[in-house]
Amino acid sequence: MLRLRNHLFSGVRAAFPPPHHHPFSTTTPATSPARFAAEEYLVATCGLTPAQAAKASKGLAHLKSPAKPDAVLSFLAGAGLAKEDIAAGIARHPQLLCCKVDKTLTPRFAQILSIGLSPAQISRIISIVPNIFVAPSMISRLQIYLSLLGTFDVLHSALKRAPYLLGQKLEVFKPNMALLLQCGLTASDLALFSKLLTSKPERVKEIVACAEKLGVAPNTGTFKGALWAVYCVGHDSIGAKMDLLKATLGCSEAELALAVRRAPQLLRMSEGKLSRTLKFLKVDVGLNLQYILLRPPILGYSMQRRLIPRHYFINILKAKGLAKENIDFYSAVCMSENNFFQKFIDAHRETIPGLADAYASACAGKIPHYIKM
């Protein structure tokens, strides 16, 4: 289409020459080069989606030809970077295609290699932080963060959650890391809390103090959940959230405090989801509130993918005399998918033809008609 349009325009120019050009002049006028079609190039050559290309092309509007992007792509591919990582990097930072190979890419790539990263690891970094080639300070921080977090995989996981980590000053990162390690988090845990690592140290201290006020002891697995819950809700909004939970659950303050200590993820649940899950457990499953509050993690499971399928399939087995009447629902819900399948589904597939397929459909949100009770 672009070529056709240029062809038509050239025909128009030939038919209507500029005023200062004599139609019989022997001097050949200079022809203007074709415009660089950035969007088409990003899709056809770089592998971006049309939507990505439309957004990224704005950063390449000044380019007149594909010469520089071609050189960049050739260098990156020759250095051993994966096509999909290059495409992801360009989508994030299209100006990567404008870098000079000799003055920028070559020395920076060598600098990253000197840290000890392999081309495959550099490829994974470029897909997340492609502007590292134009920010030498990021390379020095990359080396420091790698030494602090211990392994490349932990660092990569942290960058996936917080790509701006390499732009963070060490004066912020180090005290946050030290405090979280004191709370019992491991280096692997820190990758999950990379957003917390980049927060202001004063705020991190407030979040830790708020998690402790919930009654969750540091150096426990539950404390990690409490930290994340406080971070997501906001330490200054925890009081209001606790009041909302108490009203939704219809419990006492002491009962709620105990439930939150056992399952801090309750703080991150919306009122709507909590209400729907509570209603299902009380009305459909027949559990009383005290049973639920003593086992609060049950409220966090997906209704469609776990609670509903397991409830209905246990009931159908009971109705056919294939399961005990006193099955503890919480124990059945907490089982891994494989264990539940083996105990309740696989063991009865011959007795009830199609049971396994029906359960798979149920877990996908489709309860078969003959299973509903």
Side-chain angles (χ1 to χ4, degrees), residues 332-356:
V333 166
C334 291
M335 283 183 186
S336 67
E337 193 65 26
N338 287 337
N339 288 342
F340 183 85
F341 189 89
Q342 290 175 5
K343 182 172 182 178
F344 293 99
I345 307 300
D346 196 39
H348 305 291
R349 65 166 66 225
E350 294 182 2
T351 308
I352 308 178
L355 186 65

PDB file of all heavy atoms in Angstrom, residues 332-356:
ATOM      1  N   ALA A 332     -10.209 -31.553  52.179  1.00  0.00           N
ATOM      2  CA  ALA A 332     -10.374 -31.872  50.759  1.00  0.00           C
ATOM      3  C   ALA A 332      -9.994 -30.688  49.881  1.00  0.00           C
ATOM      4  O   ALA A 332      -9.423 -30.847  48.800  1.00  0.00           O
ATOM      5  CB  ALA A 332     -11.818 -32.286  50.480  1.00  0.00           C
ATOM      6  N   VAL A 333     -10.294 -29.482  50.360  1.00  0.00           N
ATOM      7  CA  VAL A 333      -9.976 -28.276  49.589  1.00  0.00           C
ATOM      8  C   VAL A 333      -8.474 -28.017  49.566  1.00  0.00           C
ATOM      9  O   VAL A 333      -7.914 -27.593  48.552  1.00  0.00           O
ATOM     10  CB  VAL A 333     -10.723 -27.060  50.184  1.00  0.00           C
ATOM     11  CG1 VAL A 333     -10.151 -25.752  49.641  1.00  0.00           C
ATOM     12  CG2 VAL A 333     -12.200 -27.159  49.870  1.00  0.00           C
ATOM     13  N   CYS A 334      -7.808 -28.284  50.685  1.00  0.00           N
ATOM     14  CA  CYS A 334      -6.371 -28.002  50.794  1.00  0.00           C
ATOM     15  C   CYS A 334      -5.507 -28.997  50.027  1.00  0.00           C
ATOM     16  O   CYS A 334      -4.319 -28.740  49.786  1.00  0.00           O
ATOM     17  CB  CYS A 334      -5.936 -27.997  52.258  1.00  0.00           C
ATOM     18  SG  CYS A 334      -6.586 -26.605  53.190  1.00  0.00           S
ATOM     19  N   MET A 335      -6.059 -30.145  49.669  1.00  0.00           N
ATOM     20  CA  MET A 335      -5.279 -31.139  48.929  1.00  0.00           C
ATOM     21  C   MET A 335      -4.786 -30.560  47.607  1.00  0.00           C
ATOM     22  O   MET A 335      -5.450 -29.724  46.992  1.00  0.00           O
ATOM     23  CB  MET A 335      -6.157 -32.357  48.598  1.00  0.00           C
ATOM     24  CG  MET A 335      -6.407 -33.305  49.726  1.00  0.00           C
ATOM     25  SD  MET A 335      -7.374 -34.713  49.098  1.00  0.00           S
ATOM     26  CE  MET A 335      -7.682 -35.563  50.652  1.00  0.00           C
ATOM     27  N   SER A 336      -3.623 -31.030  47.179  1.00  0.00           N
ATOM     28  CA  SER A 336      -3.143 -30.632  45.858  1.00  0.00           C
ATOM     29  C   SER A 336      -4.079 -31.209  44.805  1.00  0.00           C
ATOM     30  O   SER A 336      -4.846 -32.140  45.067  1.00  0.00           O
ATOM     31  CB  SER A 336      -1.727 -31.161  45.625  1.00  0.00           C
ATOM     32  OG  SER A 336      -1.730 -32.576  45.534  1.00  0.00           O
ATOM     33  N   GLU A 337      -4.012 -30.663  43.622  1.00  0.00           N
ATOM     34  CA  GLU A 337      -4.876 -31.136  42.541  1.00  0.00           C
ATOM     35  C   GLU A 337      -4.658 -32.623  42.264  1.00  0.00           C
ATOM     36  O   GLU A 337      -5.616 -33.385  42.076  1.00  0.00           O
ATOM     37  CB  GLU A 337      -4.620 -30.311  41.275  1.00  0.00           C
ATOM     38  CG  GLU A 337      -5.645 -30.491  40.175  1.00  0.00           C
ATOM     39  CD  GLU A 337      -7.024 -29.984  40.553  1.00  0.00           C
ATOM     40  OE1 GLU A 337      -7.136 -29.083  41.402  1.00  0.00           O
ATOM     41  OE2 GLU A 337      -7.998 -30.516  40.006  1.00  0.00           O
ATOM     42  N   ASN A 338      -3.391 -33.028  42.247  1.00  0.00           N
ATOM     43  CA  ASN A 338      -3.079 -34.436  41.973  1.00  0.00           C
ATOM     44  C   ASN A 338      -3.637 -35.360  43.053  1.00  0.00           C
ATOM     45  O   ASN A 338      -4.208 -36.413  42.754  1.00  0.00           O
ATOM     46  CB  ASN A 338      -1.569 -34.631  41.847  1.00  0.00           C
ATOM     47  CG  ASN A 338      -1.026 -34.068  40.551  1.00  0.00           C
ATOM     48  OD1 ASN A 338      -1.768 -33.914  39.578  1.00  0.00           O
ATOM     49  ND2 ASN A 338       0.261 -33.755  40.520  1.00  0.00           N
ATOM     50  N   ASN A 339      -3.455 -34.968  44.319  1.00  0.00           N
ATOM     51  CA  ASN A 339      -3.939 -35.813  45.423  1.00  0.00           C
ATOM     52  C   ASN A 339      -5.463 -35.918  45.425  1.00  0.00           C
ATOM     53  O   ASN A 339      -6.023 -37.000  45.659  1.00  0.00           O
ATOM     54  CB  ASN A 339      -3.452 -35.278  46.764  1.00  0.00           C
ATOM     55  CG  ASN A 339      -1.969 -35.505  46.967  1.00  0.00           C
ATOM     56  OD1 ASN A 339      -1.356 -36.332  46.281  1.00  0.00           O
ATOM     57  ND2 ASN A 339      -1.369 -34.786  47.903  1.00  0.00           N
ATOM     58  N   PHE A 340      -6.138 -34.794  45.190  1.00  0.00           N
ATOM     59  CA  PHE A 340      -7.603 -34.827  45.165  1.00  0.00           C
ATOM     60  C   PHE A 340      -8.090 -35.704  44.013  1.00  0.00           C
ATOM     61  O   PHE A 340      -9.032 -36.497  44.166  1.00  0.00           O
ATOM     62  CB  PHE A 340      -8.171 -33.413  45.020  1.00  0.00           C
ATOM     63  CG  PHE A 340      -9.672 -33.370  45.056  1.00  0.00           C
ATOM     64  CD1 PHE A 340     -10.351 -33.316  46.257  1.00  0.00           C
ATOM     65  CD2 PHE A 340     -10.415 -33.403  43.874  1.00  0.00           C
ATOM     66  CE1 PHE A 340     -11.747 -33.300  46.296  1.00  0.00           C
ATOM     67  CE2 PHE A 340     -11.811 -33.390  43.906  1.00  0.00           C
ATOM     68  CZ  PHE A 340     -12.466 -33.335  45.116  1.00  0.00           C
ATOM     69  N   PHE A 341      -7.449 -35.567  42.877  1.00  0.00           N
ATOM     70  CA  PHE A 341      -7.864 -36.339  41.703  1.00  0.00           C
ATOM     71  C   PHE A 341      -7.703 -37.836  41.968  1.00  0.00           C
ATOM     72  O   PHE A 341      -8.594 -38.637  41.659  1.00  0.00           O
ATOM     73  CB  PHE A 341      -7.019 -35.929  40.490  1.00  0.00           C
ATOM     74  CG  PHE A 341      -7.511 -36.497  39.191  1.00  0.00           C
ATOM     75  CD1 PHE A 341      -8.445 -35.822  38.425  1.00  0.00           C
ATOM     76  CD2 PHE A 341      -7.047 -37.721  38.734  1.00  0.00           C
ATOM     77  CE1 PHE A 341      -8.914 -36.358  37.227  1.00  0.00           C
ATOM     78  CE2 PHE A 341      -7.501 -38.267  37.541  1.00  0.00           C
ATOM     79  CZ  PHE A 341      -8.437 -37.577  36.788  1.00  0.00           C
ATOM     80  N   GLN A 342      -6.563 -38.207  42.540  1.00  0.00           N
ATOM     81  CA  GLN A 342      -6.326 -39.626  42.805  1.00  0.00           C
ATOM     82  C   GLN A 342      -7.309 -40.188  43.819  1.00  0.00           C
ATOM     83  O   GLN A 342      -7.824 -41.305  43.663  1.00  0.00           O
ATOM     84  CB  GLN A 342      -4.893 -39.825  43.295  1.00  0.00           C
ATOM     85  CG  GLN A 342      -3.835 -39.596  42.224  1.00  0.00           C
ATOM     86  CD  GLN A 342      -2.432 -39.691  42.777  1.00  0.00           C
ATOM     87  OE1 GLN A 342      -2.230 -40.027  43.945  1.00  0.00           O
ATOM     88  NE2 GLN A 342      -1.440 -39.383  41.942  1.00  0.00           N
ATOM     89  N   LYS A 343      -7.603 -39.421  44.877  1.00  0.00           N
ATOM     90  CA  LYS A 343      -8.446 -39.943  45.954  1.00  0.00           C
ATOM     91  C   LYS A 343      -9.927 -39.959  45.606  1.00  0.00           C
ATOM     92  O   LYS A 343     -10.652 -40.914  45.929  1.00  0.00           O
ATOM     93  CB  LYS A 343      -8.220 -39.122  47.223  1.00  0.00           C
ATOM     94  CG  LYS A 343      -9.029 -39.624  48.417  1.00  0.00           C
ATOM     95  CD  LYS A 343      -8.625 -38.904  49.693  1.00  0.00           C
ATOM     96  CE  LYS A 343      -9.403 -39.454  50.889  1.00  0.00           C
ATOM     97  NZ  LYS A 343      -9.003 -38.807  52.164  1.00  0.00           N
ATOM     98  N   PHE A 344     -10.401 -38.905  44.939  1.00  0.00           N
ATOM     99  CA  PHE A 344     -11.843 -38.781  44.730  1.00  0.00           C
ATOM    100  C   PHE A 344     -12.301 -39.024  43.285  1.00  0.00           C
ATOM    101  O   PHE A 344     -13.470 -39.289  43.049  1.00  0.00           O
ATOM    102  CB  PHE A 344     -12.317 -37.393  45.166  1.00  0.00           C
ATOM    103  CG  PHE A 344     -12.197 -37.154  46.641  1.00  0.00           C
ATOM    104  CD1 PHE A 344     -11.134 -36.445  47.175  1.00  0.00           C
ATOM    105  CD2 PHE A 344     -13.146 -37.674  47.512  1.00  0.00           C
ATOM    106  CE1 PHE A 344     -11.013 -36.229  48.535  1.00  0.00           C
ATOM    107  CE2 PHE A 344     -13.042 -37.464  48.877  1.00  0.00           C
ATOM    108  CZ  PHE A 344     -11.976 -36.749  49.398  1.00  0.00           C
ATOM    109  N   ILE A 345     -11.395 -38.883  42.339  1.00  0.00           N
ATOM    110  CA  ILE A 345     -11.809 -39.002  40.938  1.00  0.00           C
ATOM    111  C   ILE A 345     -11.253 -40.267  40.290  1.00  0.00           C
ATOM    112  O   ILE A 345     -12.006 -41.117  39.818  1.00  0.00           O
ATOM    113  CB  ILE A 345     -11.356 -37.759  40.137  1.00  0.00           C
ATOM    114  CG1 ILE A 345     -11.841 -36.469  40.814  1.00  0.00           C
ATOM    115  CG2 ILE A 345     -11.869 -37.844  38.705  1.00  0.00           C
ATOM    116  CD1 ILE A 345     -13.334 -36.349  40.956  1.00  0.00           C
ATOM    117  N   ASP A 346      -9.950 -40.378  40.316  1.00  0.00           N
ATOM    118  CA  ASP A 346      -9.321 -41.510  39.632  1.00  0.00           C
ATOM    119  C   ASP A 346      -9.774 -42.848  40.214  1.00  0.00           C
ATOM    120  O   ASP A 346      -9.930 -43.836  39.492  1.00  0.00           O
ATOM    121  CB  ASP A 346      -7.797 -41.367  39.722  1.00  0.00           C
ATOM    122  CG  ASP A 346      -7.076 -42.257  38.715  1.00  0.00           C
ATOM    123  OD1 ASP A 346      -7.582 -42.367  37.587  1.00  0.00           O
ATOM    124  OD2 ASP A 346      -6.042 -42.832  39.052  1.00  0.00           O
ATOM    125  N   ALA A 347      -9.979 -42.888  41.520  1.00  0.00           N
ATOM    126  CA  ALA A 347     -10.363 -44.139  42.177  1.00  0.00           C
ATOM    127  C   ALA A 347     -11.756 -44.612  41.770  1.00  0.00           C
ATOM    128  O   ALA A 347     -12.096 -45.791  41.960  1.00  0.00           O
ATOM    129  CB  ALA A 347     -10.308 -43.965  43.695  1.00  0.00           C
ATOM    130  N   HIS A 348     -12.573 -43.726  41.178  1.00  0.00           N
ATOM    131  CA  HIS A 348     -13.953 -44.094  40.847  1.00  0.00           C
ATOM    132  C   HIS A 348     -14.262 -43.915  39.357  1.00  0.00           C
ATOM    133  O   HIS A 348     -15.428 -43.898  38.982  1.00  0.00           O
ATOM    134  CB  HIS A 348     -14.925 -43.250  41.674  1.00  0.00           C
ATOM    135  CG  HIS A 348     -14.682 -43.332  43.147  1.00  0.00           C
ATOM    136  ND1 HIS A 348     -14.911 -44.476  43.882  1.00  0.00           N
ATOM    137  CD2 HIS A 348     -14.201 -42.410  44.034  1.00  0.00           C
ATOM    138  CE1 HIS A 348     -14.598 -44.257  45.155  1.00  0.00           C
ATOM    139  NE2 HIS A 348     -14.172 -43.011  45.269  1.00  0.00           N
ATOM    140  N   ARG A 349     -13.236 -43.765  38.529  1.00  0.00           N
ATOM    141  CA  ARG A 349     -13.479 -43.503  37.106  1.00  0.00           C
ATOM    142  C   ARG A 349     -14.165 -44.686  36.426  1.00  0.00           C
ATOM    143  O   ARG A 349     -14.910 -44.501  35.464  1.00  0.00           O
ATOM    144  CB  ARG A 349     -12.189 -43.138  36.387  1.00  0.00           C
ATOM    145  CG  ARG A 349     -11.146 -44.238  36.320  1.00  0.00           C
ATOM    146  CD  ARG A 349     -10.055 -43.914  35.297  1.00  0.00           C
ATOM    147  NE  ARG A 349      -9.258 -42.772  35.657  1.00  0.00           N
ATOM    148  CZ  ARG A 349      -8.929 -41.806  34.798  1.00  0.00           C
ATOM    149  NH1 ARG A 349      -9.354 -41.857  33.562  1.00  0.00           N
ATOM    150  NH2 ARG A 349      -8.168 -40.814  35.180  1.00  0.00           N
ATOM    151  N   GLU A 350     -13.917 -45.917  36.917  1.00  0.00           N
ATOM    152  CA  GLU A 350     -14.564 -47.080  36.311  1.00  0.00           C
ATOM    153  C   GLU A 350     -16.020 -47.209  36.764  1.00  0.00           C
ATOM    154  O   GLU A 350     -16.885 -47.652  36.005  1.00  0.00           O
ATOM    155  CB  GLU A 350     -13.789 -48.351  36.656  1.00  0.00           C
ATOM    156  CG  GLU A 350     -12.392 -48.395  36.044  1.00  0.00           C
ATOM    157  CD  GLU A 350     -11.672 -49.691  36.360  1.00  0.00           C
ATOM    158  OE1 GLU A 350     -12.275 -50.560  37.022  1.00  0.00           O
ATOM    159  OE2 GLU A 350     -10.498 -49.832  35.944  1.00  0.00           O
ATOM    160  N   THR A 351     -16.269 -46.799  37.988  1.00  0.00           N
ATOM    161  CA  THR A 351     -17.643 -46.867  38.514  1.00  0.00           C
ATOM    162  C   THR A 351     -18.539 -45.825  37.856  1.00  0.00           C
ATOM    163  O   THR A 351     -19.709 -46.087  37.562  1.00  0.00           O
ATOM    164  CB  THR A 351     -17.637 -46.649  40.037  1.00  0.00           C
ATOM    165  OG1 THR A 351     -16.705 -47.548  40.630  1.00  0.00           O
ATOM    166  CG2 THR A 351     -19.017 -46.880  40.624  1.00  0.00           C
ATOM    167  N   ILE A 352     -17.982 -44.633  37.634  1.00  0.00           N
ATOM    168  CA  ILE A 352     -18.748 -43.542  37.009  1.00  0.00           C
ATOM    169  C   ILE A 352     -18.033 -43.131  35.723  1.00  0.00           C
ATOM    170  O   ILE A 352     -17.100 -42.326  35.760  1.00  0.00           O
ATOM    171  CB  ILE A 352     -18.878 -42.325  37.947  1.00  0.00           C
ATOM    172  CG1 ILE A 352     -19.418 -42.748  39.320  1.00  0.00           C
ATOM    173  CG2 ILE A 352     -19.789 -41.269  37.329  1.00  0.00           C
ATOM    174  CD1 ILE A 352     -19.520 -41.631  40.313  1.00  0.00           C
ATOM    175  N   PRO A 353     -18.403 -43.693  34.586  1.00  0.00           N
ATOM    176  CA  PRO A 353     -17.748 -43.348  33.317  1.00  0.00           C
ATOM    177  C   PRO A 353     -17.811 -41.846  33.045  1.00  0.00           C
ATOM    178  O   PRO A 353     -18.829 -41.196  33.272  1.00  0.00           O
ATOM    179  CB  PRO A 353     -18.564 -44.135  32.276  1.00  0.00           C
ATOM    180  CG  PRO A 353     -19.171 -45.258  33.052  1.00  0.00           C
ATOM    181  CD  PRO A 353     -19.472 -44.688  34.411  1.00  0.00           C
ATOM    182  N   GLY A 354     -16.708 -41.307  32.568  1.00  0.00           N
ATOM    183  CA  GLY A 354     -16.666 -39.883  32.222  1.00  0.00           C
ATOM    184  C   GLY A 354     -16.425 -38.971  33.400  1.00  0.00           C
ATOM    185  O   GLY A 354     -16.440 -37.740  33.249  1.00  0.00           O
ATOM    186  N   LEU A 355     -16.207 -39.549  34.593  1.00  0.00           N
ATOM    187  CA  LEU A 355     -16.044 -38.720  35.790  1.00  0.00           C
ATOM    188  C   LEU A 355     -14.811 -37.837  35.691  1.00  0.00           C
ATOM    189  O   LEU A 355     -14.859 -36.658  36.049  1.00  0.00           O
ATOM    190  CB  LEU A 355     -15.947 -39.615  37.030  1.00  0.00           C
ATOM    191  CG  LEU A 355     -15.911 -38.893  38.391  1.00  0.00           C
ATOM    192  CD1 LEU A 355     -17.225 -38.158  38.632  1.00  0.00           C
ATOM    193  CD2 LEU A 355     -15.638 -39.879  39.521  1.00  0.00           C
ATOM    194  N   ALA A 356     -13.710 -38.404  35.186  1.00  0.00           N
ATOM    195  CA  ALA A 356     -12.463 -37.635  35.092  1.00  0.00           C
ATOM    196  C   ALA A 356     -12.610 -36.456  34.142  1.00  0.00           C
ATOM    197  O   ALA A 356     -12.185 -35.332  34.442  1.00  0.00           O
ATOM    198  CB  ALA A 356     -11.319 -38.541  34.646  1.00  0.00           C
TER     199      ALA A 356
END
